[in-house]
Amino acid sequence: MSNFIVRKAAVLGAGVMGAQIAAHLANAEVPVVLFDLPAKEGDPSGIVRKAIDALRKLEPSPLATKDRVTYIDAANYSQHLDQLQDCDLIIEAIAEKMEWKDDLYRQIAPFIAPTAIIASNTSGLSINRLSQGLPEALRSRFCGIHFFNPPRYMHLVELVATRSTDPSLLDNLESWLVSRLGKGIVRALDTPNFVANRVGVFSMLAVMHHTQRLGLGFDVVDSLTGPIIGRPKSATYRTADVVGLDTLAHVIKTMQDTLPEDPWHGYYGVPGWLAALIGKGALGQKTRCGIFRKDGRTIKVLDLSLQDYRDSAADIDPTVLAILKNRNPAEKFAQLRASEHPHAQFLWAIFRDIFHYTAFHLADIADNARDVDFAMRWGFGWAQGPFESWQAAGWQAIADAVKADIDAGRAMSPVPLPAWVFGHVAQAGVHTAQGSYSASADAYRPRSTLPVYQRQIFPERVLGEKAVAGTTVWENEGVRLWTLPQVDDGIAIVSIKTRNHTLGRDVIVGLQEAVARAEAGYQGLVLWHEAPFAFGANLKEVVEAIAGGEFELLERYVAEFQNASMCLKYAKVPVVAAVQGMALGGGCEFLMHAARRVIALESYIGLVEAGVGLIPAGGGCKEFAIRAAQYAAKTAGNDPFEFIQPAFMTIAMATVSKSGAQAKELGFARETDKIVFNANELLYVALREARGLAEGGYYPRLSPRAIKVAGRTGIANCEMMLANMKEGGMISAHDYAVAKAAATALCGGDIETGSLVDEQWLLSVERKLFVELLKSPKTQQRIQHMLETGKPLRN
């Protein structure tokens, strides 16, 4: 990798996108100066300060931890342009008006450092045209850097070069965006709306066209265009509401104004009903009224035939639903095309038209088919890109069907499919082991060879690409122990195989065996698999044991779970937990016991057992008790309760971290643990971490023998908090009982305050309390409810 580093950045424009781009830069520990116009009254930087304050309140939070906001400084164009001189990266994110951007570029040009990168976050204006607003000397360092909303969570960034952009600058910027900000990069061509918005907005326009043609309800269409076809839950019309109907109209107008020769130009217009909503100020989610509207708990949807809102009730025809559940893509598309039901006709039409559109425009909008598919997956949340869906269903059969519909006048445009569709691609497909098809070059393009991608052992793949298999050392039903000889054959990897990586008996036993084998033949062990990290104990096994009254068996099961945690903690070789996604309950406890953690930024970690009427019993309470004692030993008061109190509230309220970084604040991770922004780098970094520990002469820690506990006084203090919460109606009687059990485990049991105990004592306390709670009918009800609904029960 290059040594390119952004030490300080500036974002110009404190609107929704600008402020959230600044937040994500701060997440990555890059100080940011956020600019906007000077306020007409009061504090000249008041507009920016208001935007920064709004970041604190947004959910989902654009900030990885609350303190990140302190790394964003407020500035205005009248007073603070000289601060740009210290910035390595300047991102312009003001409104999509060319003349406004030209004017701003003229203002900032004298203050830009000689080596700084200047970029526009425009969603579709010409990057070459924008570059003309800068002095010629700066144009080689200018490019497009289009983040998707919300910038922290959306993986896609489109990187767009001008004719003058320095290629090495673009390579450095891509590498930095991938590794430091965790992004997936598509090198877009300088065409209107670039790749994702060009295809995505056309897809929405096609949906709108066929909705009206077939007389379908907006709610029905959202049922048809959501998860059932591999699209997000927000589907089409709810997505429009979330984006903002005015914003959508603006993007459509960009296509209308800049693509006059496009064969689909006649469809690049805002439908009358959509223009009417915008005219009334019903702009979607931001005005609480758009295509959908919430009345109390009832979701209403606009009905064009009624010219009013009605209750949303969207059922897919059962025969069409059966077709959609067919796992054979070729059969599925053939059945949709053959069906006469409007739901099936609609689905075939929207797929046919997107296949037609992307094939015709591939040479114009992207270097290759992989870029289009990744753009739609990362930018619009599609499970498969259009070319992947086409290839999965049989390239030739779909091509023939689309051609037949074009010839019959059923497609949105009469323009024929390009010749390449029926050439050698028809046999090989657009995605092959050699690369993905480029229509402009009539060749297959391999993946980028930038060094940053060598850190991605398991990169996201398109259809037809094979993953690295690794070499299996040993496995059972629950786990697989394996190695990657081409990376480091001295570090073993253990991966949980169960659904959602739940922690049943096979996993518990398997982990202990994996540790033993790693100790015997390897220098380290990494616990890694794709997200989620783990959803906790296998509740189905627990319910079956409760039904049989096998509480002694359950106690032995908990003891075995604790043994697995201790096995990870005291392994003779370093165990590194590589965490991404959900790490809940026992999953959180396992990572707490590892020698080191490498955590993806988007990880959500917590001890959530209270939600099913239980307490952590895989060593989670014990670990907090030990840390409390260690903390107390270093403070003047020598009182562990100061540390116990926040841990108690975290466990009692089943708090889950909102990022990997926040997991440190909650005590689930250590300050020295690494946070990785790109989850695809997680295994690479974890293997390096394990190797570093091994080379550094790692040896397991000694088990503490004199752990000072908070005892009865600590329990009483916790109960005082609980009593207030109960009286205030915040918790139920059973919540109180569960939280008291957690307090007892954290405080070392009902013993004298200041007593000295060892780890096994603490484990036995939490184990016995856990089993006693299992015997409670209310806990049993909570467990059953969670299994049936996936949601916690308050009883």
Side-chain angles (χ1 to χ4, degrees), residues 12 77 81 84 90-112 118-122 125-135 138-139 142-145 162:
L12 312 178
Y77 303 128
L81 287 180
L84 293 174
I90 299 165
I91 300 174
E92 171 268 304
I94 67 170
E96 295 285 78
K97 291 186 180 293
M98 190 71 77
E99 62 274 20
W100 291 7
K101 293 178 189 283
D102 283 345
D103 182 58
L104 180 61
Y105 292 0
R106 280 192 292 270
Q107 286 186 62
I108 66 172
F111 301 94
I112 296 173
I118 315 102
S120 175
N121 184 58
T122 177
L125 297 180
S126 169
I127 298 299
N128 276 291
R129 167 59 188 81
L130 283 172
S131 72
Q132 301 306 305
L134 288 166
L138 295 178
R139 292 176 192 170
F142 179 76
C143 65
I145 178 172
T162 71

Side-chain angles (χ1 to χ4, degrees), residues 33 174 302 318 351 372 432 544 675 738:
V33 185
E174 176 171 350
L302 180 65
F351 274 105
V372 173
T432 69
E544 289 170 356
I675 304 299
V738 173

